Amino acid sequence: MKEKRERLSDWMQWSDPIDVRRRSALAMRNVFEMADPRFNHVTYIGASLSENPPHFVHHRLGWTEALPYSVVGAVIGRKITQEVGDEKVVAGQRSLLLSHFTGMDGFVHSPASPWSAPYPMDIWEQARTLYALIYWFGETGEERLLDYAEAMVDGLFKLSVPRGSERVFPANSFARCSMGPYGVGAIIDPLLWYYQMSGNHKALMVGIGTAEFFMDPANGFFDEQWGAKGFFRSVVACLNGFSKAAAVTGDPRILSRAKCLHDAAVSRCTAYGSTPCGEPACSDFELNGSALSLVQAGYPEYWDQIDRFIRNQTARSQFIDPNEYDSEKASKKRVNLYNIYDGYPDDLQVLPFDDYRDVVNRSVGGAMWCSPSGHSFFPASLMICCTSHVLRSFEIAWDHSLYETNTGLVSDLQFSVDNALGTIVSHEPKEGRAVFTFAKDTESLRIRIPSFADVGKVALSKNGESVPTRIERGYLVADRLSKGCAYDFTFPLAERESVEWQQLFEFPDYDHPAATGEYRVQWRGNSCVLL
Ligand SMILES: [Zn+2]
């Protein structure tokens, strides 16, 4: 028991500042390691580090559900690291993705494979694929990708029936969805994103109509307060779409509903971002994306949640230290939890299509399912969806730590980043300090003051001398900063303790909690330093 405690507290004591580029490089490496060159670079869905020997796992969902995660992860990893990565994998996975548009309906369909049979079209998987097309188009600008996206939007438009302001998908779409009925709502966010980039009005109509359908209490998904039943990870994918709908339409009715449901979901997580589903890398990304839409809709206080969740859960869900794999504790037999190895007898020693080569080292950088107190070890619990969503959360940190607007440079988050505009070296949580340097002279800089910091005690200095600043709507503003100089942004790290509760659910019953855990947390600023 003592040993277990030490491992748990290590998890939360670990406190290097988060270097977004380094962390993203590790995650991208794992994305490439989990591609299988024997089968057109299809991705393994995960790594089973709960077993001895550990192995990368092939699954029926690998082709059309998991592959798009890998495509998205590679785009973000390449963008942040400025490294090309494994170009064979990138090219192979992209052509494999397009090869799954096999029907005349505009949708991707799972193929027959040595380890799986085809299954009916799944709207959750169309959402995954639409994200992949958008990310890929963002990198290369290839027009043909828009043809695929347009065809999918047409398909979704034809499949859904208008009813008042709502759009209703056929009942079998909900029954077939691999992520449960709420998984259909995952289509809202990428449809509205596609509308924003293309102006496609069918994407807007289906996106908003589907949001209206899910938000309407009469349809049984949510009541006025919350009322959601089902897998939390799928539920929060809907919420991400609702908040996007609020940001896109500016409709105050949608905004107040989206905000209320978002707050209800966050209240079901701990302040450090653990979730009832045990899959925080994925679920926290949905809540971070949702929070970003709420920021854009006029609520800047949601930056605080994004900062806390990325620091304490997104980054910590990564498998960084190969020594964490414990060959003694790992099961000598396969444990077929969640039907991860569906179809194979439990006494089969080595699965015919899985990969057993140097799996622990090749898993480094990948993201794991987590309990509120550490990594979870069960079959395929280091999962490609989680690694991809860690990269999507890191992308928020990357894009919003230092960027340019027409009024000057802005820093909403202060993670360690370096881009064409300059660099930030964060010292959190050891010190409340972030050092900014700029690639060119800068007219104006706006730094969001962390919500835990005493506004009267934040400061900017150069060579130990204070720089004149003013405070505007939660931001510290300084004018005329010189290229090449190091500017110290300092803020007191409030020390405090909190008690957190987390309801925990066990597969397959996501309606009734199996237990409630209590966790005492010590904080420095927004970082947990002891659990
Ligand atoms: Zn996941």
Side-chain angles (χ1 to χ4, degrees):
M1 191 61 205
K2 182 166 180 293
E3 187 194 8
K4 192 174 177 204
R5 278 232 180 88
E6 277 165 13
R7 271 185 77 172
L8 297 184
S9 62
D10 279 354
W11 192 62
M12 273 302 175
Q13 272 181 23
W14 168 75
S15 59
D16 288 338
I18 294 166
D19 178 338
V20 179
R21 183 195 292 269
R22 191 179 76 81
R23 290 311 199 98
S24 300
L26 289 171
M28 178 169 77
R29 179 177 163 274
N30 175 249
V31 166
F32 292 136
E33 289 293 347
M34 293 231 283
D36 186 349
R38 299 169 302 172
F39 297 98
N40 300 319
H41 301 286
V42 70
T43 185
Y44 296 95
I45 62 151
S48 290
L49 301 178
S50 53
E51 291 166 24
N52 186 1
H55 52 120
F56 285 164
V57 178
H58 269 316
H59 189 270
R60 70 188 176 89
L61 296 177
W63 300 93
T64 42
E65 202 255 340
L67 178 74
Y69 294 125
S70 197
V71 171
V72 168
V75 171
I76 299 171
R78 281 149 62 102
K79 165 184 156 178
I80 293 177
T81 64
Q82 295 287 301
E83 291 166 14
V84 291
D86 189 329
E87 293 200 275
K88 271 196 192 133
V89 173
V90 171
Q93 292 195 331
R94 289 176 181 186
S95 80
L96 185 60
L97 183 87
L98 297 186
S99 77
H100 294 143
F101 285 90
T102 46
M104 300 295 283
D105 55 6
F107 298 133
V108 291
H109 296 271
S110 67
S113 85
W115 57 86
S116 59
Y119 50 87
M121 189 281 282
D122 184 332
I123 291 180
W124 171 269
E125 297 188 354
Q126 310 312 313
R128 303 300 111 205
T129 305
L130 188 50
Y131 279 128
L133 291 171
I134 291 171
Y135 269 97
W136 177 4
F137 178 78
E139 184 190 279
T140 67
E142 287 168 73
E143 292 285 332
R144 64 183 178 129
L145 301 175
L146 301 183
D147 296 339
Y148 287 92
E150 294 280 316
M152 184 187 285
V153 170
D154 268 345
L156 291 164
F157 186 81
K158 283 181 200 145
L159 187 65
S160 58
V161 177
R163 186 178 71 193
S165 62
E166 301 177 1
R167 284 196 87 92
V168 187
F169 284 102
N172 65 8
S173 309
F174 297 90
R176 284 170 178 174
C177 190
S178 59
M179 296 293 284
Y182 289 87
V184 172
I187 199 69
I188 301 165
D189 179 64
L191 272 176
L192 294 178
W193 190 6
Y194 184 68
Y195 161 72
Q196 288 177 310
M197 61 180 267
S198 69
N200 181 318
H201 266 267
K202 286 182 183 167
L204 178 69
M205 288 164 75
V206 181
I208 299 296
T210 307
E212 295 274 17
F213 171 80
F214 271 91
M215 287 190 294
D216 181 351
N219 294 323
F221 289 93
F222 298 92
D223 62 24
E224 293 300 336
Q225 302 302 319
W226 172 252
K229 290 194 183 308
F231 188 32
F232 186 79
R233 193 262 165 275
S234 306
V235 173
V236 290
C238 295
L239 304 194
N240 189 11
F242 301 165
S243 296
K244 176 81 107 247
V248 166
T249 60
D251 180 333
R253 184 183 51 86
I254 296 179
L255 176 58
S256 82
R257 190 96 172 92
K259 190 170 173 303
C260 168
L261 291 172
H262 176 98
D263 293 345
V266 169
S267 77
R268 281 160 174 77
C269 305
T270 59
Y272 59 89
S274 71
T275 62
C277 56
E279 197 182 4
C282 283
S283 295
D284 282 2
F285 167 72
E286 302 288 358
L287 290 169
N288 289 339
S290 176
L292 191 59
S293 290
L294 293 173
V295 168
Q296 286 158 358
Y299 293 91
E301 59 267 35
Y302 285 95
W303 281 122
D304 184 63
Q305 175 222 306
I306 295 173
D307 187 55
R308 260 185 292 116
F309 281 17
I310 292 178
R311 274 179 204 291
N312 300 303
Q313 205 67 207
T314 301
R316 283 185 162 114
S317 70
Q318 278 187 290
F319 178 75
I320 297 293
D321 177 6
N323 294 318
E324 195 187 349
Y325 173 70
D326 188 332
S327 60
E328 292 299 310
K329 284 190 186 154
S331 168
K332 305 286 185 289
K333 295 191 306 195
R334 274 189 299 109
V335 181
N336 196 4
L337 194 68
Y338 302 122
N339 279 337
I340 283 288
Y341 310 127
D342 46 9
Y344 293 108
D346 290 343
D347 57 0
L348 192 62
Q349 268 303 310
V350 168
L351 295 181
F353 302 105
D354 283 8
D355 188 342
Y356 289 77
R357 295 169 302 123
D358 195 22
V359 163
V360 173
N361 289 316
R362 292 164 68 204
S363 294
V364 168
M368 303 191 71
W369 287 55
C370 300
S371 77
S373 53
H375 292 153
S376 300
F377 288 86
F378 58 78
S381 66
L382 184 143
M383 213 173 245
I384 189 71
C385 50
C386 295
T387 308
S388 178
H389 283 114
V390 158
L391 281 159
R392 289 193 69 186
S393 283
F394 282 163
E395 188 187 31
I396 295 176
W398 185 258
D399 287 347
H400 294 276
S401 286
L402 188 61
Y403 63 98
E404 192 164 28
T405 68
N406 49 18
T407 57
L409 299 186
V410 182
S411 172
D412 301 315
L413 300 166
Q414 292 89 42
F415 291 95
S416 290
V417 296
D418 57 294
N419 59 30
L421 302 168
T423 65
I424 300 178
V425 178
S426 164
H427 291 263
E428 278 185 79
K430 290 194 177 78
E431 289 176 80
R433 179 171 166 234
V435 182
F436 287 71
T437 46
F438 306 104
K440 58 181 185 190
D441 290 344
T442 296
E443 267 308 296
S444 156
L445 170 69
R446 305 168 56 80
I447 307 173
R448 188 181 64 87
I449 299 168
S451 47
F452 55 80
D454 181 341
V455 173
K457 292 183 180 159
V458 298
L460 195 68
S461 62
K462 182 174 89 171
N463 300 328
E465 287 183 22
S466 87
V467 171
T469 57
R470 60 188 182 280
I471 289 170
E472 288 178 7
R473 283 176 295 179
Y475 283 71
L476 187 76
V477 185
D479 296 325
R480 285 180 295 282
L481 305 177
S482 312
K483 127 183 183 186
C485 297
Y487 290 89
D488 262 349
F489 172 56
T490 50
F491 45 96
L493 285 177
E495 305 232 10
R496 65 191 174 88
E497 233 179 78
S498 71
V499 178
E500 309 283 335
W501 286 274
Q502 180 70 73
Q503 282 193 333
L504 301 164
F505 295 80
E506 275 175 18
F507 172 82
D509 182 359
Y510 293 115
D511 295 336
H512 307 94
T516 300
E518 184 184 306
Y519 306 89
R520 286 179 185 280
V521 184
Q522 279 180 29
W523 298 81
R524 282 174 64 77
N526 261 353
S527 301
C528 298
V529 290
L530 192 64
L531 185 71

